[in-house]
Amino acid sequence: MLQFIVMLTEEFTLLFSNLFSNLFRRKRLRQITALIFFCTIMVVAGQTVSAQLTGPAVSTPLTSLKTVRIPEPDNINDFIRNKAEAIALGKTLFWDVQVGSDGVQSCASCHFHAGADNRSENQIHPGADNNFNTGGRPNYQLAIGDYPFHKLADPNNRASTVMADSNDVTGSQGVHLTKFNDIIPGSPQDNVTVQPDPVFNVQNVNVRQVTGRNAPSVINAVFNDRNFWDGRAQSIFNGVNPFGSRDPNAFVLKSTRKQQPPQEVKISLNNSSLASQAVGPPLSSVEESGTNRILPDVGQKFNPKLKSNKLSREIGKKLKSLRPLGQQLIHPEDSVLGKLSRWPNQGIKDKSYEAMVQDAFKPEWWDSQYIVKIGDDGKRRYIRQPQGPRATDEFSMMDYNFSLFMGLAIQMYESTLVSDEAPIDKFLEGNSNALTAQQKLGLEIFQNKGKCINCHGGAEFTNASVRNVNKEKIERMTMGNDKVAVYDNGFYNIGVRPTQEDIGVGDVDPFGKPLSLTKLTQETVALGKILPPIIKASPGENISDAPLSPYERAAVDGAFKTPGLRNIDLTAPYFHNGGALTLRQVVDFYNRGGDFHEENIDNLDADIENLNLTEQEKDALVAFMRTLTDERVRLGRAPFDHPQLFIPNGHQGNQNSVINDGTGKARDELVEIPAVGRNGGEPLPNFLGN
């Protein structure tokens, strides 16, 4: 089908170019052009796009989240043989600390509190200038007085005296800076070499690095068309990395006959930005990994069939098979893993990761009599599986496809993390008593005077949702400077920080292509590879519908994905830089028209302006946002229950001195997050008790 579309596009480009000047005046031709463009863009940009081109409403009406279908890949059954087993594998991988290079860091380490991160020590990234304005050095214990990062004499007036300003970021601490050498088969820790860290150190002792953006919640993230703040986790999953079909060299292995060498195949799963996102952090040298690790290395850590051989990088150690969640307790009433719990002992009983993959995925993705041997030149050779254990430079097909299994399994698990039982859901389902009078006033302000719904629309409370973006991926609108521009639907510059400090979706991917679908499409049109789509103007705008010009202004610099607001009372600090502590600080920010309104005016969203809310209206708006909290999330009830987790929360000492563990790294302060079952437990404290 895709080959036909590409061929059709190439053959008719010249014809439609001749008719181009009349296209937008003739409805039928406009529809044909749009259809060709949107089908072709799937190939060019790795995006799934609807041929529906009607512009979205000014705001998508609020409804209960129960009314929204959970997005799922059309071809998921080509890969997964048992969804329940895939969910169990995904939950195990998400919470297992053995995935990280240090045997401490897991995906959950930054997403354990309402899907986000409530830690407050060693959580500062120095920002664009690489200077720690908050606390002076790493390993600082944040305090209430540090917020907001942009302090004004009058919170209602952005032109009032600036009392303090910091371009720092409240991020999430990951791993120490190390160089990955090799796995140690059967050990939770990889063989790594500590690298002197010029930024994250206290008195020349390395502390854990901190991410450059605030960790968003994974709860309800299944509804996002793209993930990460800058949207780099594509809606198309290629089985390997976050970049979908942007990566021309991404492939996985498929065995049609296990007696023959596996085939290298390209795959494409739509509605899979969660899978694209999941395979990023395990290889990040900040979040979970030593530098230069690859996902087959992670897969090998859990493989009991490796032997110790002298390699070009190290002498490995004899294998010790890693038990899934082998360092952690699993509550016997865990809604997914309870039947596998060894309580009161750690880990999963009677199942290896190998068995979990086999139970979850179809055999053509893991069953082969051939292995992949990686030469010193990096080239692959397929050889028959030797008798006995394997060396660490020899990958089974299961090892090699580990990114496919990890991405899809975690996506299957995270797709269950849907919070659709908040008071707002009950109210929208017809229970008028679910909200107080103050909260109802806040809802009215949210939808009207506050203009919140213009970016946080629909049951998902975000315009970056699959449902909304599939109506129209690129929008044309009058921006804050009263000039017309095009931009990625659901991504907005709201003036949190000066645009050039972090250009967000305006940046490029590792292949030099714009992260912004708008700019990517403009580049592709300019090269003559596709026809320009007709871009509908936003309703109410005095702008004509017209084909996208490769030369018209794109307002994407400094724009970030609009986060969903559900459970927002639990997920402080706020914004992509984590620069606000409380919901009231967030409301004050919007009420004054942002902090860097004038500096960012060329890219600023037009709704960022003075709102003139009264104190009573602000209180009501905050009260309404608290109705978006699902109590199951607060209490850790199913499906939000989880295994035990130990998280690093800074290091022994403070920002002035730390204790060296003997390897050049500071000793961790570990905090236990207890295992809870389907009935939940005591709620965790919010960030700084806000």
Side-chain angles (χ1 to χ4, degrees), residues 127-401:
D129 63 2
N130 232 22
N131 291 318
F132 288 89
N133 301 307
T134 309
R137 289 194 182 100
N139 204 42
Y140 171 66
Q141 171 60 61
L142 285 159
I144 291 174
D146 294 324
Y147 294 90
F149 284 174
H150 188 76
K151 292 188 179 70
L152 296 167
D154 178 2
N156 293 310
N157 181 2
R158 65 176 180 270
S160 65
T161 302
V162 177
M163 310 300 291
D165 182 73
S166 171
N167 68 358
D168 291 352
V169 173
T170 311
S172 289
Q173 60 203 287
V175 294
H176 297 87
L177 181 62
T178 61
K179 176 181 176 294
F180 174 79
N181 299 318
D182 207 343
I183 62 160
I184 303 172
S187 170
Q189 292 84 31
D190 294 340
N191 181 308
V192 298
T193 301
V194 176
Q195 304 293 294
D197 193 326
V199 176
F200 293 99
N201 76 84
V202 175
Q203 303 297 335
N204 296 318
V205 179
N206 282 10
V207 298
R208 288 180 178 270
Q209 301 169 93
V210 178
T211 60
R213 293 181 184 138
N214 183 37
S217 176
V218 297
I219 295 174
N220 302 317
V222 67
F223 297 108
N224 293 332
D225 179 67
R226 287 181 278 171
N227 271 292
F228 292 123
W229 282 104
D230 58 13
R232 67 186 183 276
Q234 301 295 293
S235 60
I236 294 292
F237 181 48
N238 62 21
V240 178
N241 58 39
F243 298 104
S245 59
R246 290 167 174 262
D247 183 354
N249 299 314
F251 69 88
V252 294
L253 300 180
K254 184 176 184 180
S255 175
T256 52
R257 296 184 62 185
K258 65 181 183 179
Q259 298 85 2
Q260 296 179 349
Q263 300 172 332
E264 299 177 359
V265 297
K266 292 181 178 294
I267 63 171
S268 176
L269 292 98
N270 67 329
N271 293 331
S272 292
S273 66
L274 282 181
S276 297
Q277 188 275 333
V279 297
L283 302 186
S284 166
S285 59
V286 173
E287 296 178 69
E288 288 190 61
S289 175
T291 58
N292 299 322
R293 189 168 68 152
I294 57 176
L295 273 169
D297 291 318
V298 181
Q300 278 195 336
K301 286 176 69 170
F302 303 108
N303 194 322
K305 297 179 180 178
L306 296 175
K307 68 180 180 182
S308 299
N309 251 0
K310 187 172 182 178
L311 306 178
S312 59
R313 295 179 291 181
E314 70 160 358
I315 297 177
K317 296 183 178 179
K318 287 187 176 180
L319 175 76
K320 293 182 179 176
S321 179
L322 288 176
R323 183 185 297 275
L325 288 167
Q327 312 295 310
Q328 298 153 265
L329 295 172
I330 304 167
H331 198 283
E333 295 180 356
D334 186 291
S335 60
V336 173
L337 303 174
K339 63 184 179 181
L340 301 174
S341 171
R342 296 177 69 236
W343 186 278
N345 297 314
Q346 296 169 321
I348 279 177
K349 65 182 178 184
D350 304 330
K351 262 199 176 184
S352 64
Y353 269 114
E354 184 175 32
M356 294 183 82
V357 169
Q358 291 172 348
D359 288 344
F361 287 89
K362 291 190 170 181
E364 55 261 42
W365 304 107
W366 52 262
D367 190 13
S368 175
Q369 294 180 357
Y370 281 75
I371 63 169
V372 186
K373 187 173 180 65
I374 309 297
D376 291 339
D377 57 1
K379 292 184 177 179
R380 298 174 297 277
R381 289 191 297 128
Y382 299 99
I383 61 175
R384 279 201 172 267
Q385 193 165 155
Q387 295 293 319
R390 295 190 301 275
T392 54
D393 63 346
E394 297 173 341
F395 297 92
S396 72
M397 185 176 166
M398 183 181 289
D399 298 333
Y400 206 86
N401 280 350

Side-chain angles (χ1 to χ4, degrees), residues 587-606:
V587 170
D588 284 341
F589 167 87
Y590 284 108
N591 186 54
R592 62 180 176 259
D595 285 340
F596 295 91
H597 184 284
E598 285 70 30
E599 293 91 327
N600 293 13
I601 196 68
D602 287 345
N603 293 281
L604 194 74
D605 183 84

